[in-house]
Amino acid sequence: MAYDLIVIGTGPGGYVCAIRAAQLGLKVAVVEKMKTFGGTCLNIGCIPSKAILHASEMFEQAGHDFPAFGVVVGKPKLDMAAFMKHKDDTVTANVNGVAYLMKKNKIDTVFGTGTITAPGKVDVTGEDGKTQSLETKNIVIATGSDVATPPGVKVEFDEKTIISSTGGLSLAKVPGKMIIVGAGVIGLELGSVWRRLGAEVTVVEFLDRILPGMDGEVAKQAQRLLERQGFVFKLSSKVTAIEKSKSGASITFEPVAGGEATKLDADVVLVATGRRPYTDGLGLDKVGVALERGRVVIDNQFRTNVAGIYAIGDVVRGPMLAHKAEDEGMATAEIIAGQHGHVNYDVIPGVVYTTPEIAGVGKTEEELKAAGIAYNVGKFPMSANGRARAMRATDGFVKILADAKTDKVLGAHIVGFAAGELIAECSVLMEFGGSSEDLARTCHAHPTISESVKEAALGVEKRSIHI
């Protein structure tokens, strides 16, 4: 066999899997259809979106928040070319970093579209149409996901007026009006960018709430804060048509419960209704790899039903998150190398990079109630935190959910400044099976935003002294 392992796809799951396998002494090759490494996340997802989220936040702070701190700079002007250059430079630095790691770990790269023709065999077709055949002992499918569209609605993306998240990262100018279909993470993050830069943003969502899957109280607070920023939400609304119009694009929607249809026009319509597993062209049907609702079926060792073929990341069960894919990539490489890889799916944090940030890990209150688990709640408002007051970042709260009998922390949910960083503390605690008492007795530096996490833990047994 030419290789011990071939990984198809070099997103966060794929490149981590390949590098870890190489570190363990395996001969590894990767197959990548894009011209750069990193997949959706590094090229057209997580990384570029965070670059423009941060830049747009700086723009808004300069225009609205600086005077309260005694900083007078005048009305800021947007340099769109520089704004996008920051995004592109960030992407380039990240993908070049992965390329360096591939070279450093002596991983062979084959650019092109990979097709599994048999167990242990992968054909790769390049842009020139030529195909080369590779042989290997093991294959890992890490092909990620692609944009999903609303069921039953025809969507023709031109990435200028009717756009996906890809187009939402590269608009040539700020739209006057933007409609977002879907009130999930992608829609709210990209909506935040363009709202800060001056767009009027309306979000249309099928469900009766935003951020499905996150804690209900957190979602309600987030909606109130976003509405205060200028977002308009049309909830419990079913989109029936998305079309180009004279002014740009339009959508037609009607109440989920039934009723009269409404048509809205905008300069840009962003379709952000989630993502679907990407398995196109892999030839899985021909080699007999089982799928369920579009996802590759795996066991607890990431093995498919075909010997020697594994799958990780967005193409398999679980949340479509880059860090989940990374952990699966690491675990799969170790399993293939004869070690014991493992992923704890009960402790995978999720973050929404709006302002303020929103983060959660473990069970929500709704999930605990549905499972019949008795629990105690500790909450602490950011408005009572000294550092938050000093920063004028007092929106939000921290909530800790602990088992009523054992005090083991079952979930943590945060709305507030740096929530994405604060949630890591809760994740570590939960990974070690910690209790709210463990967290409450851990000394936190003062004054820090992280004290809010400790105070919420103290609040589980009504011991917080700062409210």
Side-chain angles (χ1 to χ4, degrees):
M1 297 290 182
Y3 295 101
D4 296 308
L5 171 64
I6 291 176
V7 180
I8 304 176
T10 64
Y15 80 71
V16 167
C17 182
I19 291 169
R20 182 61 182 137
Q23 290 174 342
L24 293 169
L26 303 186
K27 184 173 176 55
V28 181
V30 294
V31 176
E32 176 53 61
K33 69 174 185 176
M34 298 178 73
K35 294 180 180 179
T36 55
F37 299 115
T40 295
C41 179
L42 270 65
N43 290 276
I44 52 173
C46 322
I47 299 303
S49 66
K50 301 312 163 284
I52 63 174
L53 273 160
H54 181 71
S56 67
E57 188 173 349
M58 295 301 97
F59 180 82
E60 177 152 278
Q61 286 183 356
H64 300 281
D65 300 337
F66 280 8
F69 293 101
V71 180
V72 181
V73 296
K75 185 177 180 179
K77 295 181 180 179
L78 178 64
D79 182 340
M80 185 61 81
F83 183 84
M84 289 300 176
K85 183 178 184 298
H86 163 64
K87 178 204 68 174
D88 294 340
D89 288 348
T90 304
V91 170
T92 298
N94 278 272
V95 299
N96 286 348
V98 176
Y100 166 77
L101 292 173
M102 291 291 186
K103 185 176 181 180
K104 176 185 177 182
N105 288 281
K106 298 180 173 58
I107 297 169
D108 291 343
T109 301
V110 184
F111 286 102
T113 301
T115 302
I116 303 170
T117 57
K121 294 185 178 181
V122 178
D123 282 359
V124 184
T125 304
E127 284 189 345
D128 58 4
K130 295 181 180 178
T131 299
Q132 57 179 309
S133 297
L134 308 175
E135 293 190 351
T136 181
K137 295 177 182 176
N138 300 283
I139 298 169
V140 171
I141 300 167
T143 45
S145 59
D146 198 2
V147 174
T149 55
V153 180
K154 183 179 180 181
V155 181
E156 295 183 359
F157 293 110
D158 61 10
E159 301 301 1
K160 293 180 180 179
T161 54
I162 300 177
I163 64 175
S164 67
S165 56
T166 302
L169 295 167
S170 303
L171 292 177
K173 63 179 181 179
V174 179
K177 293 183 179 180
M178 172 180 274
I179 295 171
I180 299 173
V181 182
V185 177
I186 295 171
L188 298 185
E189 287 187 354
L190 289 177
S192 291
V193 170
W194 298 106
R195 200 278 312 158
R196 292 168 189 159
L197 299 181
E200 295 179 15
V201 176
T202 300
V203 182
V204 181
E205 168 60 43
F206 182 84
L207 299 177
D208 62 357
R209 54 163 291 174
I210 71 171
L211 295 173
M214 298 200 81
D215 185 85
E217 185 180 13
V218 163
K220 287 180 182 179
Q221 173 80 330
Q223 182 177 335
R224 285 194 293 267
L225 293 173
L226 291 171
E227 285 174 335
R228 198 169 75 191
Q229 294 170 17
F231 275 74
V232 175
F233 290 98
K234 305 288 186 182
L235 304 180
S236 300
S237 299
K238 178 183 179 182
V239 174
T240 56
I242 301 173
E243 303 167 311
K244 287 189 176 182
S245 66
K246 292 181 179 179
S247 62
S250 68
I251 71 164
T252 303
F253 63 94
E254 58 190 38
V256 171
E260 188 175 341
T262 301
K263 186 174 182 179
L264 289 179
D265 292 308
D267 299 291
V268 171
V269 172
L270 166 63
V271 180
T273 49
R275 300 182 66 81
R276 65 173 183 86
Y278 187 83
T279 57
D280 302 6
L282 278 175
L284 301 186
D285 55 337
K286 294 181 180 178
V287 293
V289 172
L291 300 177
E292 183 178 359
R293 289 184 295 180
R295 293 191 169 189
V296 179
V297 178
I298 56 171
D299 64 13
N300 291 333
Q301 301 290 303
F302 310 100
R303 298 173 297 197
T304 70
N305 61 306
V306 178
I309 301 179
Y310 300 74
I312 60 173
D314 286 4
V315 293
V316 301
R317 66 194 179 210
M320 289 183 169
L321 297 170
H323 43 283
K324 175 257 197 186
E326 289 178 348
D327 280 9
E328 289 179 333
M330 182 82 71
T332 302
E334 291 171 351
I335 289 168
I336 290 171
Q339 297 187 0
H340 299 282
H342 172 70
V343 177
N344 183 357
Y345 290 98
D346 290 328
V347 187
I348 296 178
V351 182
V352 188
Y353 297 88
T354 50
T355 300
E357 290 182 354
I358 307 157
V361 63
K363 301 299 184 183
T364 65
E365 282 206 64
E366 291 75 15
E367 289 171 333
L368 292 176
K369 288 175 182 176
I373 298 173
Y375 63 95
N376 293 321
V377 182
K379 288 198 296 184
F380 189 80
M382 290 294 183
S383 59
N385 177 274
R387 182 75 189 281
R389 287 171 176 160
M391 297 170 62
R392 291 182 172 266
T394 54
D395 288 333
F397 62 91
V398 180
K399 177 163 68 172
I400 303 292
L401 307 175
D403 189 284
K405 294 180 180 179
T406 66
D407 194 39
K408 179 180 178 180
V409 173
L410 304 175
H413 307 278
I414 305 173
V415 181
F417 179 84
E421 308 296 334
L422 297 177
I423 203 68
E425 173 179 11
C426 303
S427 299
V428 172
L429 177 83
M430 291 172 63
E431 189 63 45
F432 284 89
S435 66
S436 73
E437 177 77 3
D438 293 325
L439 184 51
R441 289 189 178 275
T442 300
C443 188
H444 288 60
H446 176 76
T448 60
I449 302 291
S450 69
E451 287 179 285
S452 295
V453 180
K454 175 179 179 175
E455 292 290 345
L458 283 164
V460 171
E461 295 191 2
K462 308 296 185 291
R463 294 187 293 143
S464 178
I465 61 173
H466 289 89
I467 55 174

